[in-house]
Amino acid sequence: MTALQTALILIEYQHDFTSENGALHEGVKDCMQQINMLANSKAALKSAREKGITIIYSPISFSDNYREIRKPTYGVLQNVVATKAFRQNSWGAEIVEDVKPLPTEIILEGKRGLDAFYSTNLDFILRQLNIHSVAVCGFLTNCCVESTVRTAYEKGYDVTTLSDCCATLSMQEHNTALEKDLTLFSHVINHQEWLKSIK
């Protein structure tokens, strides 16, 4: 695939996941460290920029009272509410400096759930830019990454999951998602293998 037809989608690289004192950082910290996830993501982003690949960020955010989420809340979003994570205009919702967007790069607006396609204009953007291939990375491997990968596959994109640029609540969950689920909907390779495949 050519660089002009390829996009890198970075999901929820926000302080509440990535950084000490982030609301949800303790849960993902060990997995991040074992994979060297943030450093790998930074390297992937740098090389993708150099190749001219389209960069798209998919942060999540909510109002202070989480009025966008149904009551009673359950499942993964219940933990977001309980920890007061990803509140709009808060430090926790900011994208971490390591992979900070350039002014020319795309930041999706309106992500309120798991799938980066569902409540945003991601599909519109990809089609406007004539993107045929997407690489997905970020948090959580078995949640937002997997949801986005599944939809991208269903919509006919050529999909890659960057195995060393994702993290979740444990290495077991991370590896299971990569080996059992994400292989059904994407090419599961590390960021270096992916970059070598882009012309």
Side-chain angles (χ1 to χ4, degrees):
M1 195 62 68
T2 67
L4 288 176
Q5 294 176 306
T6 303
L8 174 62
I9 302 171
L10 297 99
I11 297 177
E12 294 169 15
Y13 282 81
Q14 295 157 271
H15 287 299
D16 275 334
F17 270 142
T18 62
S19 307
E20 291 294 334
N21 300 318
L24 298 169
H25 180 64
E26 281 300 311
V28 298
K29 180 170 68 173
D30 288 346
C31 187
M32 284 182 68
Q33 289 175 348
Q34 288 189 57
I35 297 164
N36 205 22
M37 178 259 196
L38 202 51
N40 289 334
S41 300
K42 186 175 180 179
L45 178 60
K46 181 176 183 292
S47 296
R49 285 170 171 164
E50 290 169 355
K51 282 180 173 280
I53 291 167
T54 297
I55 309 299
I56 301 175
Y57 291 82
S58 179
I60 192 170
S61 65
F62 301 95
S63 56
D64 281 349
N65 62 3
Y66 297 95
R67 60 179 174 269
E68 303 90 348
I69 301 177
R70 74 187 301 277
K71 309 291 188 296
T73 310
Y74 67 98
V76 66
L77 291 177
Q78 184 176 31
N79 203 33
V80 169
V81 175
T83 57
K84 300 191 182 324
F86 305 119
R87 287 170 295 155
Q88 290 168 357
N89 303 314
S90 69
W91 170 82
E94 291 176 6
I95 296 171
V96 68
E97 190 71 27
D98 299 62
V99 294
K100 189 175 181 179
L102 299 177
T104 53
E105 293 171 343
I106 298 165
I107 304 174
L108 296 179
E109 298 175 10
K111 187 173 189 291
R112 301 288 183 267
L114 313 183
D115 183 347
F117 284 92
Y118 188 72
S119 59
T120 75
N121 60 347
L122 176 56
D123 190 51
F124 173 82
I125 290 169
L126 294 174
R127 296 191 187 284
Q128 284 291 306
L129 298 177
N130 197 32
I131 300 296
H132 297 282
S133 175
V134 297
V136 184
C137 58
F139 301 91
L140 298 164
T141 315
N142 56 345
C143 189
C144 295
V145 170
E146 184 171 329
S147 294
T148 301
V149 164
R150 284 171 178 259
T151 299
Y153 180 83
E154 293 274 23
K155 288 182 177 293
Y157 294 100
D158 185 73
V159 190
T160 297
T161 303
L162 301 185
S163 59
D164 59 342
C165 299
C166 299
T168 191
L169 300 175
S170 70
M171 284 303 300
Q172 181 180 358
E173 290 170 89
H174 174 76
N175 290 330
T176 298
L178 294 176
E179 294 166 11
K180 303 296 185 184
D181 298 327
L182 286 159
T183 51
L184 298 174
F185 313 106
S186 68
H187 313 285
V188 178
I189 55 179
N190 66 42
H191 77 277
Q192 293 171 325
E193 293 175 283
W194 171 66
L195 288 161
K196 285 177 187 174
S197 73
I198 308 298
K199 298 172 185 175

